[in-house]
Amino acid sequence: MATKIRVEIEPITPVVGAIISGVDLREALDQDTVAQLHAAVLKHGALFFRNQDLTKQQTTAFLKNFGTLTLDPYSKNYKEGVPEDEAVRDYETFNDNAKATQFWHIDSTLGEKPANLLSLRALNLPGSGGGDTCWGSMCAAYDALSQPVRDMIDGLEAVHSDYRTYALMDPAYRDNLNRGLSNIHPVVRVHPETGRKALLVNALWTEKIVGLSELESTSILNMLYTHAAQPEFTMRWRWRVNDMVLWDNRAFQHYAVRDYEGRRTLEKGILAGERPYGPKG
């Protein structure tokens, strides 16, 4: 039976992140609670839940409140549906094999349908400390651009591929990457639920802007990457074991800080997305 609870929401910054209290994710949630959390993730981008000691089945049940579970859209095993007992997986990284995480990125944008929402839960953390993760609002970053720049990029499209990522990936994960996968997405995405505009480019997957020279494309992309990484649009989370985060991959980027020694293991869940569209369709 679903448990009705009182959700407490504490914003971390004005533009990204909120700590959620009063929610035990081991229990089934009533529809009002689900609706509050759904509204909160749209508003704050990343929701953090402390002390969530869950089984994979409980994580799966929680995520199903917000969409359809899937695999990484860039995986060669990707399909529209996935058995529930295969959807939530553990990802183990070490400092020297996590090079692909040292870029601000939006997950799986080289896929036709990048993930909508994602979750991470900390299972094992390095004893040396470190291993934080940062999140940033691509809506706030877009809104802060000058009007002439917004007018220019609203109609642009960019190629997303594994042009950079493959060489940076842990060899244990390389075989799972769908080599040669490439898709074109708008540089600015219209969020399908909020209607807000968000930057949809990232230094990990975005290869080039369509129709521009290499100099033009590189200059614009580097400007957008630098702009979006400013502290005004970002936050940093220091993990504790059994912390969980649920975030909106459509409008928020993230960055895993590679400053730790030893092993870090996070449990990851992915909710299926749809093809992005821009201000001009």
Side-chain angles (χ1 to χ4, degrees):
M1 182 177 179
T3 303
K4 189 173 181 62
I5 58 177
R6 181 173 178 269
V7 179
E8 297 180 10
I9 302 172
E10 178 187 352
I12 297 173
T13 81
V15 299
V16 56
I19 299 172
I20 305 298
S21 303
V23 181
D24 184 348
L25 301 183
R26 295 173 299 179
E27 305 293 335
L29 303 179
D30 65 278
Q31 289 304 304
D32 181 62
T33 300
V34 171
Q36 290 183 67
L37 295 178
H38 181 228
V41 78
L42 293 180
K43 179 178 180 180
H44 300 287
L47 305 183
F48 298 88
F49 304 81
R50 294 283 196 189
N51 301 315
Q52 302 296 329
D53 186 4
L54 309 174
T55 65
K56 282 186 169 52
Q57 291 74 24
Q58 288 168 332
T59 299
T60 297
F62 169 66
L63 293 176
K64 285 173 62 180
N65 289 304
F66 304 97
T68 302
L69 287 155
T70 188
L71 299 176
D72 278 305
Y74 62 72
S75 168
K76 66 183 180 182
N77 298 316
Y78 171 73
K79 50 190 175 184
E80 290 291 338
V82 62
E84 289 183 5
D85 60 353
E86 298 179 13
V88 177
R89 301 186 175 192
D90 296 350
Y91 289 82
E92 182 177 87
T93 59
F94 297 83
N95 173 277
D96 60 354
N97 70 1
K99 297 177 182 177
T101 69
Q102 65 184 336
F103 296 90
W104 280 102
H105 62 286
I106 301 168
D107 259 31
S108 63
T109 59
L110 79 169
E112 179 185 4
K113 300 176 180 179
N116 271 4
L117 302 180
L118 292 104
S119 72
L120 289 174
R121 187 169 67 91
L123 303 181
N124 180 79
L125 298 173
S128 61
D132 299 350
T133 304
C134 306
W135 277 266
S137 171
M138 299 301 261
C139 291
Y142 174 84
D143 290 343
L145 290 168
S146 66
Q147 190 63 53
V149 172
R150 281 183 280 167
D151 291 341
M152 175 183 66
I153 65 175
D154 273 357
L156 297 178
E157 295 181 315
V159 176
H160 295 249
S161 71
D162 66 355
Y163 82 109
R164 168 181 283 162
T165 313
Y166 184 76
L168 299 172
M169 291 184 76
D170 180 345
Y173 299 133
R174 283 180 184 169
D175 288 343
N176 188 47
L177 185 65
N178 185 2
R179 294 306 315 279
L181 182 64
S182 176
N183 277 279
I184 295 175
H185 299 307
V187 169
V188 177
R189 177 178 192 170
V190 177
H191 195 289
E193 294 191 75
T194 67
R196 293 187 69 187
K197 295 179 181 180
L199 295 176
L200 183 56
V201 291
N202 65 97
L204 187 59
W205 299 115
T206 307
E207 180 178 347
K208 60 186 178 182
I209 297 177
V210 176
L212 302 189
S213 70
E214 182 177 351
L215 175 61
E216 292 168 336
S217 174
T218 300
S219 298
I220 292 171
L221 287 175
N222 284 341
M223 179 273 290
L224 294 176
Y225 301 154
T226 301
H227 171 75
Q230 291 182 89
E232 289 82 358
F233 314 131
T234 69
M235 57 148 289
R236 180 167 177 155
W237 183 256
R238 177 163 294 178
W239 291 102
R240 301 176 190 168
V241 171
N242 287 326
D243 282 355
M244 175 182 264
V245 58
L246 176 73
W247 82 93
D248 187 346
N249 189 59
R250 296 165 291 189
F252 291 81
Q253 62 175 350
H254 64 291
Y255 179 106
V257 181
R258 189 169 157 249
D259 63 348
Y260 56 93
E261 297 179 0
R263 176 169 59 97
R264 188 183 78 154
T265 308
L266 301 177
E267 177 190 83
K268 183 178 183 179
I270 305 168
L271 295 176
E274 62 279 306
R275 191 166 184 86
Y277 62 91
K280 300 185 179 181

